[in-house]
Amino acid sequence: MRVLMTGLGDIAHKAYLPVLSALPQIELHLATRNQPVLEEAGRRFRVAGLHASLAAALATGHFDAAFVHAATDAHPALVRTLLERRIPSFVDKPLAADLDEVERLVTLADRQETLLTIGFNRRFAPSHVALTGLQADLIVMEKHRHRQPDVSRRVIYDDFIHVIDTLLFLAPGPVQRQSIETRVKRDMLISVTLVLAGEGFTAIGTMHRNSGLNEERLDVIGNGQRHSVLNMADEICMDGRECRQRRGDWVTVGRQRGFEAMCLDFLTGVEERRPTNSGDILATHRLCEAITVHAEQFRSHAMTGSQQIAMP
């Protein structure tokens, strides 16, 4: 399988190249305009197929799959080029930072009958996957940042999107109602809370951008039990008593955080000619846009706003 990776930023080096470069069944190629980064990645991960641009790589022949790890603003043009050539594409979240663009790309993937996948690694992290079979009526996910207020669209689409997608992934039924609360000060998003509810369950996601520590916590509660995952490393189960488990010494970060399973699932989907899961992609990005629009309505000097919406 001939596979192309375009964009060689930090996440590509930390999460994807260690996985893909170790797979014997693929012929990996790399493309970026940053020549020193390209050469260093080629040496470090022993990749021979190096290209100065996406166009230069595509000129060498057809690719069976592509991974896009460029900046978010570059996603639409790169993904459109790949999909028009019917090359199955895996893209870092978000697909785009604009809902109209997301919808156009998903429509193109469907029209081309070409797999389009977004990198939501928490759907593949073993600690999170283990929570899907539980009888849960309350799901709470917190993802906080230490002194990092930022503009609403960037926070929601680049970071809070993981909280949104994880809640949708773990929700035990269709979401029927949602409510949004945001706090904005001097055009910077300070905090956001999303509540999703359906028959017999409530899912709450929250983020504070001026917290005391960078941290992430997921709690799934119900049936007399509470299962928690802290920073995607520590697992705690409470059932009248507390049991703690931490990632094993020999378990790689890529495996624990879901990147290994996610990459393999995408490549398997390519081989199986799996269709794009348009519904999941659109549901997550539409909530991103709804929260962003809500926050932008309250971006004067210092305001807090809340909104409740009944889902169709």
Side-chain angles (χ1 to χ4, degrees):
M1 181 181 287
R2 202 164 182 255
V3 177
L4 173 66
M5 179 184 293
T6 182
L8 299 178
D10 187 53
I11 189 65
H13 279 79
K14 290 193 302 186
Y16 292 98
L17 279 169
V19 173
L20 296 177
S21 63
L23 297 178
Q25 70 269 35
I26 71 171
E27 176 190 318
L28 184 61
H29 291 247
L30 308 178
T32 180
R33 290 187 172 88
N34 191 322
Q35 193 65 26
V37 169
L38 181 65
E39 293 175 356
E40 190 276 333
R43 286 193 299 270
R44 179 179 173 187
F45 295 99
R46 299 180 180 180
V47 178
L50 306 180
H51 311 278
S53 67
L54 175 60
L58 294 176
T60 67
H62 181 74
F63 286 93
D64 300 296
F67 286 76
V68 177
H69 303 301
T72 299
D73 289 348
H75 286 181
L78 294 172
V79 174
R80 189 175 298 109
T81 296
L82 293 166
L83 292 177
E84 286 173 347
R85 293 171 179 257
R86 287 191 165 86
I87 300 175
S89 301
F90 177 105
V91 190
D92 274 332
K93 56 75 193 168
L95 177 54
D98 174 83
L99 182 59
D100 289 342
E101 193 67 76
V102 169
E103 291 178 339
R104 283 192 289 268
L105 291 171
V106 170
T107 298
L108 177 60
D110 288 340
R111 186 170 65 243
Q112 295 290 87
E113 299 182 337
T114 300
L115 178 60
L116 174 62
T117 297
I118 313 302
F120 292 122
N121 61 297
R122 284 155 182 79
R123 289 179 176 244
F124 296 89
S127 57
H128 289 49
V129 172
L131 302 178
T132 57
L134 302 177
Q135 297 180 34
D137 50 43
L138 178 61
I139 302 164
V140 181
M141 185 171 179
E142 302 174 64
K143 194 171 190 289
H144 304 305
R145 296 295 187 184
H146 177 56
R147 299 185 184 277
Q148 294 183 47
D150 204 344
V151 296
S152 300
R153 186 165 294 273
R154 184 155 51 234
V155 169
I156 301 305
Y157 272 90
D158 283 354
D159 202 356
F160 194 67
I161 190 172
H162 273 308
V163 177
I164 296 169
D165 191 72
T166 301
L167 295 183
L168 291 174
F169 171 60
L170 292 176
V175 175
Q176 299 169 336
R177 300 176 303 281
Q178 70 182 45
S179 66
I180 299 166
E181 294 197 14
T182 57
R183 182 166 183 267
V184 180
K185 185 174 182 179
R186 298 189 183 92
D187 292 341
M188 296 293 174
L189 184 65
I190 303 299
S191 65
V192 54
T193 300
L194 171 68
V195 180
L196 305 175
E199 186 65 35
F201 76 91
T202 302
I204 303 169
T206 186
M207 172 177 283
H208 202 294
R209 300 291 294 192
N210 198 22
S211 182
L213 193 68
N214 290 339
E215 59 180 341
E216 181 175 326
R217 180 184 181 111
L218 174 62
D219 292 290
V220 176
I221 303 170
N223 195 34
Q225 297 182 332
R226 175 173 178 163
H227 296 262
S228 306
V229 181
L230 307 181
N231 298 317
M232 299 189 71
D234 295 316
E235 300 176 41
I236 307 171
C237 176
M238 285 161 275
D239 183 6
R241 61 187 180 88
E242 182 178 285
C243 176
R244 288 179 174 261
Q245 180 177 333
R246 185 169 176 78
R247 173 172 63 92
D249 292 340
W250 296 98
V251 177
T252 65
V253 173
R255 179 169 298 175
Q256 179 68 20
R257 298 180 74 89
F259 289 99
E260 180 178 311
M262 182 170 59
C263 290
L264 292 173
D265 180 76
F266 168 67
L267 295 173
T268 299
V270 172
E271 293 177 336
E272 295 175 348
R273 301 185 63 83
R274 192 184 301 163
T276 296
N277 192 336
S278 304
D280 281 357
I281 295 174
L282 292 174
T284 296
H285 287 82
R286 282 171 177 164
L287 275 172
C288 284
E289 187 66 20
I291 298 169
T292 300
V293 169
H294 179 270
E296 290 176 347
Q297 294 173 349
F298 297 94
R299 63 184 178 187
S300 58
H301 181 64
M303 298 186 69
T304 301
S306 63
Q307 180 184 44
Q308 293 189 354
I309 302 174
M311 301 297 287

